[in-house]
Amino acid sequence: MAKEELLTFEGLIEEVLPDGRFRVLLDNQHKVIAYTAGRMRRFRIRTVLGDRVHVEMTPYDLDKGRLVYREPTPGGGGPRRNFRR
């Protein structure tokens, strides 16, 4: 049995929720709850209100998804900070 293909949509972060979850308004005006994917969490990619993101969803549940990419913001990020541990 073949694995189902994942659907990828683009959207805008509408609300930041606890535990790394976000409410995302997709381009087709559908709202979903999305969580940060493992790579985004691993490399500490910060996602804030108003960011454009790509959301992967399974065709079985179109109300939940996974953030897989955050589009670069115009103007770039702020200055890089070096943290010592």
Side-chain angles (χ1 to χ4, degrees), residues 56-73:
E56 269 187 2
M57 299 187 323
T58 179
Y60 297 113
D61 188 6
L62 297 175
D63 291 331
K64 296 178 185 171
R66 177 174 58 190
L67 296 181
V68 292
Y69 182 74
R70 181 183 61 89
E71 293 182 4
T73 56

Side-chain angles (χ1 to χ4, degrees), residues 17-73:
L17 303 171
D19 296 330
R21 295 185 188 274
F22 303 91
R23 187 175 316 278
V24 179
L25 179 65
L26 300 178
D27 289 343
N28 60 5
Q29 303 304 317
H30 186 74
K31 292 183 183 179
V32 298
I33 301 291
Y35 64 93
T36 54
R39 284 251 167 115
M40 290 183 68
R41 187 173 295 171
R42 179 176 161 198
F43 293 111
R44 295 187 178 101
I45 296 175
R46 298 292 178 212
T47 310
V48 294
L49 189 71
D51 280 349
R52 298 272 315 155
V53 293
H54 294 199
V55 179
E56 269 187 2
M57 299 187 323
T58 179
Y60 297 113
D61 188 6
L62 297 175
D63 291 331
K64 296 178 185 171
R66 177 174 58 190
L67 296 181
V68 292
Y69 182 74
R70 181 183 61 89
E71 293 182 4
T73 56

